Amino acid sequence: MSLRRIGVLLGKELFTGPKNFIFVWAIVAPVAISFVVSLIFGTLFSEQPRLGIVDEGGSQLTTIGRETAAITLREYGSVTDLRQAVESGSVDMGIILPAGFDAAVRQREETSVTAFIWGESSSRSRTILGVTIVNLVREIAGQEPPIEVDSITLGEEVTIPWNERLLPFIVLMAVFLGGLFLPATSIINEKEKRTLTALLITPTTPEDVFLTKGIVGIVLSLFSGVVILLLNQAFGAQPLLLVMVLALGAVMAAGMGLLMGIALKDVTTLFAVWKLGGILLFGPAFIYMFPKIPQWIGRLFPTYYILQPIVEISQRGAGLEAIATNITILIVLDLLLLGAVALSLRRAKRVAALG
Amino acid sequence: MNPRLIGSLVQKDLSIFFRNRFFAIITVLGIIAYLVVYFAMPGAVDDTLEIGIYSPVSIPAFAKLDEEGLEFVVVSSEEQLRQAVIDGEFIAGISLPPDTLTHLIAGKRPGVNVFFGADAPPEIKDAVVVVIQELGYAATGQTLDIDVSEEVLGLDLGGTPLPPRDRLRPLLAVMLIMVETMGLATLISAEIERRTINALLVTPATVADVFIAKGIAGISLAFGQAALFMAIVGGLSQQPLVVLTALLLGAILVIAAGFIIGAVAKDMLSVLAWSLPVIIILIIPSLAIAFPGSVTGWVEALPTHYLVDTVHRASNFGSGWGDVWQNLLILAGFDLALAWTGVAVLRRRMR
């Protein structure tokens, strides 16, 4: 094995990689999935009614409305913009506050407000918005809240929001799409086009080639994983520890990619294997999504040992001590996988499968 | 044109398509996955805030606020109220002390306990507190002199919105159609690369026969899957002819896109590389329907806007020909333009 040759091969892979569809897709797909998840759980299942305001006189209502958690408030520059936002469903209700609104309210003068209501909004949203607006106006008018409310939360079980439940799936997708697919397709392509045979006529050894492809897979996988965690603001309090877990996950992904690259003949078969094998890879993520499924089942899947430390660090603020056992198992799994790659490579060389 | 020959070519293309394990698996698993996603989505919308209330004394103002979107259920004890909140029967439970009304009338601020389940989101907690304060204002007779003029924009569903699964239905149907771009493009690309298309043209089959056969094979796959999906999920229960016409025009759009991609792509990875951006762009208008307000008016520049808007309006609101004819006309125009481009690009490539 030669470090110089590996460096040259790495340079070539990194230069030609971004032109490769899988390279681009490995980054785009998790970002796209992350975007869709945030759309679904930020829009479709959001229980927070949305209020649009055109404030013609700098009303205090706009300022205090932003502070209430009951609604989401968006400001618009013109009545046309507001109408458009209500018609498209961007907001459930839109109100136009005329100039001098606050003064009129404080002096108990009669004032008028125009409200647009989105036809498809729920009556729950309409009621919450109506009551909240009236409450905010009362605050401007200086009316004291007549009741002292003491909120008491019952029960201990805290439900995990769906966007958090889906995060492990997206992270695994990010780590495995690039980490597994890039080395696998790269090797299969080289085998199909016989460029691998040409390469091996030079002093380059199969180990040089495979190590290079593995490193590229690990780098891409790690990069995608970090991007997804950044996008989802899920880095937690221990970012370095999280990156270390992602790196170990990337090694597992690249190891699997190398194994598939050695074993499979064409890209079509790789996609078919991915379709079926994906269940094994993403099993723990699906189990995590549904807390009622016995969580011990997840431990049967190798990717559990990537996912669990990530969840512990990013969502529960855990440190190294809490995840030490799972990390140890992950390292052992990585070593076993790399051993399997070395064995397969030796066997493949022996039966001249590479040539 | 030879119908028997075209039939044989269609049969050949379909068998080649299903011989490709990737596309065969995608096709079968695709429909199953879309059905699973559809049925996993809530089929009804909980559009009422159901609040439990325990009050040893009757406060008339509290009953008056029992309006649309808000429902108060009276329980007989605080213990029952707590249990009902824990069991998820109510989003919140209000426990009023016996002296609440006396305190309110006297101008004092009574303390009220409000119970929430552990899974209650903060916006709901805040909203319930706001509702309770409003009940207090109503009970003490504090009014506001504001005249509100309301105008409902868009189709008024009377406060009962579409269930998430019905809102997602057009998106899923359109995605099923769009994914077929890859299948047709692979068929064409493989024929060109292996030069089997030239071999075909040595037989009595004409270029027109080949194009028509590919088009029919593509349309059968794209339209067939989407129509099957819509039939299973009840998307054809209203205006089935309008929905099917829109899906058919959508399938023709996909065929045209497949012709173009098939002409420029060299292998399966290349087909994927070209198809995915095209599919993503064409799916964007569906997001505007599924997630209202997520995209702005520029989506009207995309042909699939007219497809998804028609499917949405016809299947969810029963819009008929008179309401959507403009959409269908524009979609047919896009179909013609793209199909012409596709055939021209493919002819050029074959030469």
Side-chain angles (χ1 to χ4, degrees), chain A residues 115-128:
Chain A
F116 301 126
I117 298 165
W118 180 40
E120 294 180 40
S121 64
S122 69
S123 42
R124 175 201 275 222
S125 297
R126 292 179 190 187
T127 303
I128 292 176

Side-chain angles (χ1 to χ4, degrees), chain B:
Chain B
M1 209 189 316
N2 183 340
R4 208 174 58 83
L5 203 64
I6 292 173
S8 308
L9 288 173
V10 171
Q11 207 177 351
K12 177 209 75 152
D13 280 339
L14 290 177
S15 69
I16 288 176
F17 180 89
F18 284 103
R19 224 182 285 153
N20 181 322
R21 267 172 292 178
F22 175 59
F23 290 117
I25 289 172
I26 272 199
T27 307
V28 178
L29 284 186
I31 296 184
I32 296 170
Y34 285 127
L35 286 171
V36 169
V37 169
Y38 177 84
F39 286 111
M41 288 285 160
V45 178
D46 181 13
D47 60 342
T48 306
L49 272 182
E50 213 170 332
I51 300 171
I53 187 161
Y54 165 65
S55 175
V57 288
S58 164
I59 304 174
F62 279 42
K64 280 183 196 163
L65 216 87
D66 202 358
E67 58 180 69
E68 225 181 330
L70 202 59
E71 190 184 336
F72 288 99
V73 179
V74 178
V75 297
S76 53
S77 71
E78 189 173 303
E79 197 45 48
Q80 194 187 345
L81 182 69
R82 280 171 173 268
Q83 196 53 50
V85 171
I86 291 170
D87 295 345
E89 285 175 41
F90 306 129
I91 194 102
I94 306 172
S95 175
L96 298 170
D99 53 3
T100 305
L101 189 58
T102 330
H103 272 74
L104 280 170
I105 292 166
K108 293 179 188 169
R109 292 178 73 186
V112 169
N113 287 339
V114 185
F115 304 117
F116 292 101
D119 56 350
E123 61 267 23
I124 290 293
K125 288 184 179 175
D126 230 40
V128 171
V129 171
V130 168
V131 167
I132 294 167
Q133 293 296 5
E134 203 46 44
L135 291 172
Y137 283 119
T140 51
Q142 297 184 60
T143 54
L144 278 175
D145 207 2
I146 296 177
D147 175 39
V148 181
S149 62
E150 287 183 358
E151 187 185 344
V152 176
L153 302 179
L155 190 70
D156 190 2
L157 299 183
T160 309
L162 280 179
R165 64 164 61 161
D166 290 346
R167 194 164 274 292
L168 277 179
R169 191 163 53 193
L171 167 72
L172 298 173
V174 170
M175 275 176 81
L176 267 172
I177 291 183
M178 294 301 142
V179 170
E180 281 317 316
T181 311
M182 290 195 284
L184 185 70
T186 307
L187 281 179
I188 294 169
S189 156
E191 293 252 30
I192 294 173
E193 285 306 309
R194 291 175 192 159
R195 297 185 180 277
T196 46
I197 204 150
N198 296 335
L200 267 181
L201 295 178
V202 176
T203 69
T206 62
V207 175
D209 289 338
V210 174
F211 282 153
I212 291 169
K214 296 265 180 245
I216 292 173
I219 288 172
S220 325
L221 288 166
F223 174 74
Q225 287 180 71
L228 177 68
F229 171 79
M230 289 299 270
I232 294 172
V233 301
L236 299 178
S237 54
Q238 294 190 78
Q239 300 290 351
L241 272 180
V242 176
V243 175
L244 290 173
T245 307
L247 293 177
L248 184 65
L249 290 173
I252 296 171
L253 192 81
V254 162
I255 303 316
F259 274 9
I260 298 171
I261 294 167
V264 293
K266 285 176 183 167
D267 53 26
M268 194 176 137
L269 273 186
S270 171
V271 165
L272 285 175
W274 282 101
S275 303
L276 289 170
V278 171
I279 292 172
I280 288 172
I281 291 168
L282 290 178
I283 280 173
I284 289 172
S286 317
L287 299 177
I289 302 290
F291 313 110
S294 56
V295 279
T296 49
W298 63 266
V299 290
E300 290 182 24
L302 298 172
T304 38
H305 164 75
Y306 303 96
L307 163 64
V308 77
D309 188 51
T310 307
V311 173
H312 170 58
R313 283 162 63 188
S315 66
N316 286 326
F317 308 132
S319 300
W321 295 104
D323 304 307
V324 296
W325 68 271
Q326 280 175 313
N327 274 357
L328 294 174
L329 200 65
I330 296 170
L331 187 57
F334 272 114
D335 279 356
L336 277 176
L338 275 172
W340 181 83
T341 313
V343 170
V345 171
L346 205 52
R347 263 182 197 279
R348 198 184 160 97
R349 176 82 199 273
M350 280 163 63
R351 251 187 256 137

Side-chain angles (χ1 to χ4, degrees), chain A residues 26-81:
Chain A
I27 296 170
V28 172
V31 173
I33 292 169
S34 190
F35 170 70
V36 170
V37 166
S38 68
L39 265 182
I40 291 178
F41 296 99
T43 312
L44 201 61
F45 293 135
S46 170
E47 298 197 55
Q48 208 172 21
R50 294 151 297 173
L51 174 69
I53 289 186
V54 172
D55 189 353
E56 293 174 340
S59 171
Q60 208 189 331
L61 191 143
T62 314
T63 318
I64 51 176
R66 285 189 196 286
E67 288 160 18
T68 171
I71 59 167
T72 301
L73 195 143
R74 291 177 194 166
E75 224 179 320
Y76 293 89
S78 69
V79 176
T80 318
D81 289 349

